[in-house]
Amino acid sequence: MQKTTMATNEACQAARKWYEIDATGVTLGKLAVKVADLLRGKTKVNFTPNQDCGDYVIVRNAKKVNLTGNKETDKIYYNHSLWVGSLRQRTAGEMKEKFPEEMIFEAVKGMVPHNRLGRKLITKLFVYPGEGVSHEAQKPEKITV
């Protein structure tokens, strides 16, 4: 008889790792899928949908991420502060040049659950436009996408 095991929060926290991904030349969507899977913990054996079993992820060189097709000019990011006339529109090219970490952050945020768990998961993502801050103390494993 097989039994389904549900991971506890303590068991998930004990097995956390740090991963580092270099975004140079990687397509934005493929990068976001890989990061979301690592944050959620879907690559682990003890994955439990309602627990935070994921790992920490560091993304470097966000400015060098790749966009396919005409997305640099056609894709538009919208932001509104809920004040009248405060709609802000930016193309993906502008976002890549000025705010690359925000572009990757928003892509990953759309792939995690839209609830309390998702808000908790997204805090374990660190995105840097260049080489960024050193996380050598955490001894991250390098992953290629």
Side-chain angles (χ1 to χ4, degrees):
M1 181 192 235
Q2 293 181 343
K3 292 187 179 185
T4 302
T5 59
M6 300 295 281
T8 61
N9 198 17
E10 293 80 25
C12 290
Q13 287 179 357
R16 289 230 167 101
K17 290 183 173 181
W18 284 75
Y19 293 104
E20 181 178 334
I21 298 175
D22 188 13
T24 305
V26 179
T27 307
L28 177 63
K30 291 181 181 182
L31 174 72
V33 167
K34 183 67 174 175
V35 171
D37 284 348
L38 289 170
L39 286 174
R40 188 105 194 263
K42 288 197 135 190
T43 58
K44 294 186 174 185
V45 177
N46 65 343
F47 171 70
T48 305
N50 64 338
Q51 291 291 331
D52 180 10
C53 292
D55 299 313
Y56 292 91
V57 180
I58 304 161
V59 179
R60 298 198 189 277
N61 296 319
K63 278 192 170 188
K64 299 176 184 175
V65 74
N66 193 19
L67 295 171
T68 58
N70 296 327
K71 289 190 187 92
E72 295 228 5
T73 56
D74 294 349
K75 183 174 174 134
I76 297 176
Y77 288 87
Y78 296 99
N79 194 345
H80 200 285
S81 70
L82 302 180
W83 287 86
V84 176
S86 66
L87 178 65
R88 185 176 65 205
Q89 303 176 19
R90 295 183 183 137
T91 63
E94 291 174 38
M95 289 288 285
K96 185 177 172 182
E97 193 172 312
K98 296 178 185 173
F99 310 101
E101 60 274 1
E102 188 177 333
M103 185 171 69
I104 292 176
F105 185 82
E106 289 299 320
V108 174
K109 188 176 176 184
M111 294 185 183
V112 296
H114 302 294
N115 53 22
R116 280 183 276 184
L117 178 62
R119 289 189 293 274
K120 186 177 177 184
L121 293 174
I122 204 73
T123 61
K124 296 185 299 183
L125 173 64
F126 301 91
V127 183
Y128 299 107
E131 286 301 316
V133 181
S134 174
H135 283 272
E136 292 172 5
Q138 286 78 25
K139 298 180 182 102
E141 291 181 30
K142 295 192 188 283
I143 293 181
T144 57
V145 179

